Amino acid sequence: MTKLLEWLLGVSLIGVAWGLVTFDLLDLQLPPQYRELAWPMPVYLLVAFGCYSLAAVGYRVATFNDCEDAAKELQAQIKEAKEDLKKKGLKMNHISLEVSHVH
Amino acid sequence: MASRRGNAKTGEQADKYSVLLPTYNERENLPLIVWLLVKYFGESGYNYEIIVIDDGSPDGTLQIAEQLQKIYGADKILLRPRAKKLGLGTAYIHGIKHASGNFIIIMDADLSHHPKFIPQFIEKRKEGGYDLVSGTRYRGDGGVYGWDLRRKLISRGANFITQVLLRPGASDLTGSFRLYKTEVLEKLVEQCVSKGYVFQMEMIVRARQLGYTVGEVPISFVDRVYGESKLGGNEIVSFLKGLLTLFATT
């Protein structure tokens, strides 16, 4: 089953459950509190998911590791590599030595 | 499922790692990445070869590659160029044809991926018996250098949407620093139809579909070209299109 179909299935199941409770389709005579709670659920869930998404992405951006050390190490190794390759006879016109900084 | 395990390994000596380096205008970076590969493979003692797949670079990348071949030996540096820029998927197919290793490492040739992680990939793969190991920028002490807030936001945002829609079981889908069993890579490239970022995503999604196991190793991604190649609206749109296609078809 494709992810799309999984989603459609999941949404349908939830939709049916919601419809049954909210509109009392099976005539279960549920107490009114259930119906009052169920009715706005889809909107609540969407809003909750939206908030979770913003929080999750925000957190992940804030904690995205900045690899300063890796950049420094690379810079040093580039120098070392260039010298060693020259010794071994490699002819290069010019090789950029810097790791460029962005803004 | 037994066939997924691959043939029984007779020991480390039997394993050989073929590094595929598709290049286009990497005259300056190629010697450096090769030097680093030779250094880390040399230190770790694993058997390897480097296959340079140059797509007719006008800047003389192939000439530099020939010099490197003289320095390090034609058994270690293989040149398998192509006439023009033909895309990554076909570069992999082309590379696999000429690879003698039972494992293949794919990576970028522009020094954003550091060969020091390759021994870690190899160890991780052995540890878990994985069919493929993927470098991740998003877990552990993985990360990036050289990205501004906008770029990080787009990256994390896109990854979040991908995780929600595809639930792929891997944290970094668009990364292209990976170790594959040769037969697994062969099988996957055959099946994948997307281009660009989405191609790498599709590889992992299909791998999971086919029951292959995926391990992860945190890596640092040092972006030195970001200043020149901004991630624009077009790329974002085609990424979303590709993502939705995968969502609907896998």
Side-chain angles (χ1 to χ4, degrees):
Chain A
M1 192 189 292
T2 66
K3 288 288 178 289
L4 176 60
L5 287 178
E6 281 179 24
W7 269 79
L8 289 176
L9 184 63
V11 168
S12 309
L13 287 174
I14 295 176
V16 165
W18 176 78
L20 282 178
V21 175
T22 309
F23 302 112
D24 207 8
L25 297 173
L26 291 178
D27 223 7
L28 293 169
Q29 309 290 357
L30 292 164
Q33 294 97 310
Y34 279 86
R35 299 188 63 176
E36 277 169 27
L37 183 61
W39 161 234
M41 260 316 184
V43 178
Y44 285 171
L45 289 176
L46 276 174
V47 172
F49 177 70
C51 293
Y52 165 75
S53 304
L54 287 177
V57 174
Y59 173 76
R60 290 172 188 177
V61 170
T63 58
F64 211 157
N65 282 333
D66 273 313
C67 304
E68 297 277 347
D69 292 338
K72 288 206 188 81
E73 179 191 44
L74 182 63
Q75 211 168 345
Q77 286 181 325
I78 288 175
K79 264 210 186 95
E80 195 189 335
K82 196 194 169 192
E83 282 160 15
D84 190 40
L85 287 166
K86 221 182 198 162
K87 273 200 215 114
K88 293 192 157 84
L90 187 75
K91 297 200 179 32
M92 331 175 262
N93 299 343
H94 69 278
I95 289 206
S96 161
L97 286 180
E98 278 140 51
V99 177
S100 54
H101 291 261
V102 180
H103 323 130
Chain B
M1 268 306 210
S3 60
R4 299 277 151 60
R5 305 277 207 82
N7 26 314
K9 288 284 156 274
T10 53
E12 281 181 24
Q13 271 55 44
D15 290 338
K16 184 172 183 184
Y17 300 89
S18 302
V19 180
L20 299 189
L21 282 183
T23 60
Y24 190 74
N25 285 344
E26 295 289 2
R27 186 174 58 88
E28 302 196 346
N29 290 324
L30 185 60
L32 305 173
I33 189 87
V34 166
W35 188 88
L36 286 169
L37 283 165
V38 169
K39 173 182 160 82
Y40 285 97
F41 268 114
E43 282 170 9
S44 60
Y46 296 119
N47 192 9
Y48 72 102
E49 64 184 356
I50 300 169
I51 305 176
V52 179
I53 303 156
D54 186 52
D55 282 356
S57 300
D59 73 346
T61 302
L62 192 55
Q63 282 68 43
I64 287 278
E66 283 163 1
Q67 287 195 55
L68 290 165
Q69 197 176 41
K70 287 205 188 68
I71 294 173
Y72 290 112
D75 59 324
K76 287 284 177 266
I77 316 277
L78 276 62
L79 303 183
R80 298 290 178 266
R82 304 190 297 179
K84 56 177 183 145
K85 212 161 193 284
L86 288 172
L88 210 52
T90 50
Y92 291 162
I93 295 174
H94 185 71
I96 292 171
K97 282 205 190 75
H98 301 286
S100 61
N102 53 333
F103 293 102
I104 298 209
I105 292 160
I106 63 159
M107 60 190 299
D108 291 351
D110 62 0
L111 294 175
S112 50
H113 294 146
H114 199 301
K116 70 179 177 182
F117 293 107
I118 292 180
Q120 292 179 34
F121 280 26
I122 294 175
E123 270 136 52
K124 182 77 187 187
R125 202 219 66 81
K126 289 201 180 124
E127 190 187 303
Y130 300 110
D131 296 301
L132 73 107
V133 176
S134 170
T136 174
R137 296 158 294 176
Y138 299 134
R139 279 243 183 95
D141 50 7
V144 277
Y145 175 84
W147 280 6
D148 58 6
L149 187 62
R150 174 184 176 268
R151 185 68 182 88
K152 284 184 187 176
L153 195 56
I154 294 175
S155 182
R156 286 293 197 172
N159 184 257
F160 181 81
I161 299 174
T162 306
Q163 295 290 333
V164 167
L165 288 181
L166 299 182
R167 297 185 332 267
S171 63
D172 192 344
L173 283 233
T174 53
S176 50
F177 192 5
R178 299 182 184 159
L179 165 66
Y180 290 87
K181 282 186 187 161
T182 303
E183 67 267 21
V184 172
L185 180 60
E186 221 166 357
K187 186 92 187 273
L188 291 174
V189 176
E190 237 175 70
Q191 305 225 336
C192 289
V193 296
S194 345
K195 305 260 174 283
Y197 289 116
V198 186
F199 172 69
Q200 301 294 355
M201 282 167 44
E202 193 184 354
M203 295 282 274
I204 296 228
V205 169
R206 297 245 178 246
R208 302 271 300 174
Q209 262 188 333
L210 291 170
Y212 294 130
T213 52
V214 180
E216 291 194 316
V217 168
I219 57 159
S220 50
F221 181 92
V222 177
D223 198 338
R224 301 158 76 218
V225 299
Y226 173 51
E228 295 146 34
S229 59
K230 303 256 176 233
L231 194 65
N234 278 336
E235 279 93 351
I236 295 179
V237 166
S238 67
F239 168 81
L240 288 173
K241 270 204 222 153
L243 176 57
L244 289 174
T245 307
L246 280 182
F247 178 62
T249 58
T250 63

